[in-house]
Amino acid sequence: MNSADLGRRVGVPSTALFTDQYELTMVQAALKAGTADRHSVFEAFTRRLPEGRRYGVVAGTGRVLDAVENFHFDDEMIGFLRQQDIVDEPTLEWLAGYRFSGDIWGYPEGEVYFPGSPILRVEGSFAECVLLETVILSILNHDSAIAAAASRMSGAAGGRRLIEMGARRTHELSAVASARAAYVGGFDATSDLAAGFRWAIPTVGTSAHAFTLLHDTERDAFRAQVDSLGRGTTLLVDTYDVTEAVRAAVEIAGPELGAVRIDSGDLLLVAHRVRQQLDELGATGTKIVVTSDLDEYAIASLAAAPVDAYGVGTQLVTGSGHPTCSMVYKLVARAGSAEPDAPLVPVAKKSLGAKSSKGGRKWAARRTDEQGVAEAEVIGTGPMPASAGRPLLVELVRGGEVLVREPLEAVRERHVAARAELPMSAIQLSRGEPVIPTEYA
């Protein structure tokens, strides 16, 4: 499967400087100490879910694989590092030839996760693995936060259409990543054309209040839009008077009018009134789209309203209050020497606070009950017993070669299946603990 099949129509530039300086200085010190080539195992995980969240969503894996594949230092980057005296010449020489040659296993994108889940496991020499820490966490923390918010909104929407429209509320590059993550989490379309171009996500959009204000009358604006975009377009009806706007919209477009959008006011009340008016005017097939600072709670509050689609911006691209998942990337095992057959030794940070971690290369499985409902996330080291449940880690990279390239449609379907496997309380918006416990075997 090639890049065009996956919607990746834009080349990925080098990601080598999307990192923190101390990654490079650690490599320099390790090279000098003779420990840089020790076989090492790093894992990305989170110690806890954001407050009130019942599960997490793995998103950004495809972007991580792109980043790893394109992590290399060109001459200009090496020149910058030399000019700034970041690392010494032997290290610059090593960096100039860098290509990741290790292995990566992880939860497949779209899967759900819980505290302690080894979401990504990276193996290779210490030096080549530690360099990837920052860019991996940058992608996973951002994309998984957006996907988790999108998943909660999708659950609250109850099958109604969801449109991502947050490009103007975040950094322009974050907007593209956010649209992708939202699509993974259950959104149906985006307003961001860059996301549509790069990832083949369906795009939508018609007009804003400015278009209505441009014309001498609202009717003139509606007529111009219908003449240009057809009767199936969506007309924005809350610039002046909603009742008058709906009447004009149906008179101009006829009962074939595609939809009306409401962007302000008491959305519950206005949606009921607009639905009644549309039906009385014979536009029974015209849809109602609502926008205006929605989040999962607002969407849930409109469950009884005659709403067909929700447009969500700010709250989605900021993770609905949780813009990061607080994932970390920790060394969990390393060899005692650089010899190829040197055995791995589990290592872990010791801490009096909440920052301790568990050593050893881990496996993960999800145990289900007799009805196929998840009841525990099981994590362990060594051989995985058959009783542990459904294995969760899949091989993503072997010997530096990416093995997995998936279309986003497959990722979306996986998320639907993973969420359906959880207890029904997973989609409740009330605050609570993770919907299933994490058990260590």
Side-chain angles (χ1 to χ4, degrees), residues 195-206:
F197 177 74
R198 179 168 188 133
W199 300 110
I201 299 171
T203 60
V204 296
T206 52

Side-chain angles (χ1 to χ4, degrees), residues 105-434:
W105 288 69
Y107 280 39
E109 192 164 14
E111 183 59 84
V112 297
Y113 70 87
F114 297 90
S117 297
I119 296 164
L120 201 72
R121 189 177 75 211
V122 182
E123 290 196 45
S125 72
F126 172 83
E128 66 177 337
C129 293
V130 77
L131 280 181
L132 300 176
E133 175 182 9
T134 304
V135 72
I136 285 175
L137 290 180
S138 175
I139 294 171
L140 290 181
N141 269 315
H142 174 270
D143 289 24
S144 296
I146 306 305
S151 181
R152 282 165 60 86
M153 293 174 190
S154 175
R160 293 173 176 176
R161 187 172 172 80
L162 287 163
I163 304 165
E164 184 280 318
M165 47 195 305
R168 65 192 62 193
R169 302 301 189 209
T170 188
H171 185 279
E172 65 271 19
L173 297 182
S174 295
V176 182
S178 294
R180 183 187 184 279
Y183 196 60
V184 169
F187 272 59
D188 301 287
T190 179
S191 66
D192 191 281
L193 289 176
F197 177 74
R198 179 168 188 133
W199 300 110
I201 299 171
T203 60
V204 296
T206 52
S207 68
H209 292 103
F211 185 76
T212 300
L213 296 170
L214 168 69
H215 293 80
D216 295 336
T217 69
E218 191 169 49
R219 285 177 173 270
D220 288 343
F222 287 174
R223 190 172 293 108
Q225 184 173 327
V226 171
D227 288 346
S228 174
L229 302 179
R231 297 177 184 272
T233 191
T234 299
L235 295 175
L236 181 58
V237 295
D238 71 328
T239 305
Y240 303 119
D241 180 270
V242 173
T243 301
E244 289 300 319
V246 171
R247 181 179 297 110
V250 176
E251 287 178 2
I252 291 168
E256 300 84 12
L257 174 62
V260 295
R261 179 162 74 95
I262 308 167
D263 188 51
S264 60
D266 183 335
L267 297 179
L268 179 62
L269 175 63
V270 176
H272 276 287
R273 289 178 175 175
V274 168
R275 181 73 270 161
Q276 180 179 355
Q277 186 181 8
L278 287 170
D279 291 346
E280 290 173 350
L281 293 171
T284 56
T286 299
K287 307 295 186 183
I288 296 177
V289 181
V290 296
T291 53
S292 186
D293 293 326
L294 299 178
D295 61 9
E296 60 266 48
Y297 300 101
I299 291 171
S301 73
L302 293 168
V307 172
D308 300 287
Y310 305 93
V312 190
T314 303
Q315 293 302 317
L316 176 61
V317 299
T318 57
S320 196
H322 298 288
T324 180
C325 303
S326 298
M327 291 185 196
V328 294
Y329 183 88
K330 296 298 181 183
L331 180 66
V332 297
R334 51 87 176 167
S337 73
E339 295 299 318
D341 58 349
L344 287 173
V345 178
V347 294
K349 175 183 178 179
K350 300 296 183 182
S351 174
L352 297 177
K355 287 192 172 184
S356 61
S357 57
K358 297 182 180 294
R361 179 201 282 129
K362 302 181 188 63
W363 50 260
R366 189 160 300 139
R367 191 175 69 240
T368 57
D369 63 17
E370 295 178 353
Q371 285 72 46
V373 178
E375 59 181 13
E377 191 88 339
V378 186
I379 299 169
T381 58
M384 184 178 75
S387 60
R390 173 171 66 87
L392 294 170
L393 293 171
V394 298
E395 191 176 16
L396 301 172
V397 176
R398 182 192 304 153
E401 296 295 322
V402 174
L403 303 178
V404 177
R405 294 291 191 198
E406 293 186 297
L408 284 181
E409 293 299 332
V411 176
R412 281 164 56 82
E413 291 171 6
R414 177 181 295 117
H415 178 60
V416 170
R419 193 174 67 182
E421 187 181 55
L422 299 177
M424 292 184 64
S425 58
I427 61 172
Q428 291 179 344
L429 298 182
S430 57
R431 294 187 179 276
E433 297 300 312

Side-chain angles (χ1 to χ4, degrees), residues 16-17 19-36 71 73 80-82 84-92 94-95 126-128 130-134:
L17 293 185
T19 191
D20 292 306
Q21 181 170 316
Y22 80 163
E23 314 289 11
L24 274 64
T25 54
M26 281 193 286
V27 168
Q28 175 178 308
L31 287 170
K32 188 171 184 179
T35 54
F71 198 103
F73 295 84
F80 164 76
L81 297 175
R82 178 179 291 112
Q84 298 299 314
D85 196 26
I86 303 298
V87 289
D88 61 20
E89 284 299 324
T91 305
L92 290 175
W94 185 90
L95 292 174
F126 172 83
E128 66 177 337
V130 77
L131 280 181
L132 300 176
E133 175 182 9
T134 304

